[in-house]
Amino acid sequence: MKGKVHAGILDAIGDTPLFEFERIFSDAPFRVLAKMESFNPGGSIKDRTALNMLLHKIRNGELDPARSVVVESSSGNLGVGLAQICRYFGLRFVCVVDGRTTARNIAVLRALQCEVEIVEQPDAVTGEYLPARLARVRELLTTIPDAYWPNQYGNLRNPGAHQQTMREIAQALDEKVDYLFCAVGTFGTLRGCAEYVREQGLGTTIVGVDAVGSVIFGGPPAPRLIPGHGASVRPELLDTALVDAVVHITDLESVAACRRIVAKEAVLAGGSSGAVLAALDKMSDSIEPGSNCVLIFPDGGDRYLDTVYSDAWVTANFGEVTHLWK
């Protein structure tokens, strides 16, 4: 069988593979499957979000390469997705990141000719970076002519992109998706998947995976080391009625799970992917035998080589913890 010929890089976004993990939960009475979003051309699930937020405005002429400037706040992956699309169409893009954004993500942004603004100081009131990033975005919107803010935090086209993500999962499993584990940040992926589940009557249990120290579900704020899931500001897209269960995961639990995934499945997973696996581990005793448990892996581990997969970084932040995965 011949493979599909894609009409350019944007046509390759989506339709990512679903892997069954047979080793990491080898004794479990349920199936564990991972939706591998690192197979998107920009390396993460945020490619879907970026495309859905920009393409309609490009096609109807609202975004014009001759004058328009896209401005967005990102911890990394959405910025890469937007940068790829903006480069493809010749749009100027300014991405506001912060000091926790990995060096590798910043390098990718700059390679795609994105203008990177790094917010070095957190918000004076909350001590968090996200409010400071958003404040800088608003400043840029007032100073850059024809600037457009996609606003991933409140744009309904963010969750709209992930109805397709869930459709792909459901079709691959003949609609037998018993549990879906999804990391939360903007709430876009979880909301889109959950809305598809409700509309199709699938009966899937939706598990939101949040970071300890995130305020999304009302927990107390605390410093977090791993970007990509959790938030210091409750997102506009939040709808707690769409979540059946919430599991909070520490940075160390994410790191240990990432290392276990490599050891058992030879998959280099990102920090949020480790978090969703750790959440499944915490809930494993309550999962019915024969269930299909799907984990959305938002990105790969290549952008976490200096953190999650660096022995020196792990030791500096957590001490000697290799017993957790060896």
Side-chain angles (χ1 to χ4, degrees), residues 33-34 127 137 194 225 244 286 300 313:
L33 305 107
V137 166
L225 295 173
D244 299 304
S286 64
W313 183 88

Side-chain angles (χ1 to χ4, degrees), residues 82-227:
L82 289 170
Q84 180 176 250
I85 293 164
C86 287
R87 180 54 22 230
Y88 186 84
F89 288 105
L91 284 161
R92 182 184 167 198
F93 174 42
V94 181
C95 189
V96 179
V97 302
D98 62 54
R100 293 194 311 159
T101 304
T102 67
R104 290 177 182 270
N105 266 333
I106 291 174
V108 172
L109 288 170
R110 288 178 170 152
L112 287 166
Q113 300 178 30
C114 167
E115 298 171 38
V116 180
E117 290 245 351
I118 304 176
V119 173
E120 300 287 1
Q121 297 298 321
D123 176 64
V125 176
T126 65
E128 298 286 349
Y129 279 107
L130 180 55
R133 291 204 323 251
L134 294 176
R136 182 57 182 151
V137 166
R138 293 185 181 99
E139 288 176 359
L140 292 170
L141 293 175
T142 63
T143 58
I144 299 176
D146 295 305
Y148 168 65
W149 179 27
N151 186 13
Q152 62 167 318
Y153 311 99
N155 190 332
L156 289 175
R157 286 185 174 271
N158 177 351
H162 301 293
Q163 297 234 355
Q164 176 60 28
T165 307
M166 192 65 213
R167 182 179 294 109
E168 293 169 15
I169 293 168
Q171 289 176 348
L173 294 172
D174 294 325
E175 298 194 344
K176 189 181 185 307
V177 186
D178 301 294
Y179 290 84
L180 181 77
F181 289 78
C182 181
V184 294
T186 66
F187 213 76
T189 302
L190 189 148
R191 178 167 172 165
C193 289
E195 287 175 343
Y196 181 88
V197 163
R198 302 296 189 260
E199 289 168 8
Q200 300 299 315
L202 298 185
T204 306
T205 296
I206 305 293
V207 182
V209 181
D210 200 5
V212 170
S214 165
V215 304
I216 293 175
F217 293 101
R224 292 172 288 114
L225 295 173
I226 299 174

Side-chain angles (χ1 to χ4, degrees), residues 52-64:
N52 208 43
M53 290 194 302
L54 290 189
L55 191 59
H56 70 293
K57 287 189 173 291
I58 293 169
R59 285 178 169 168
N60 68 19
E62 290 181 66
L63 287 176
D64 179 0

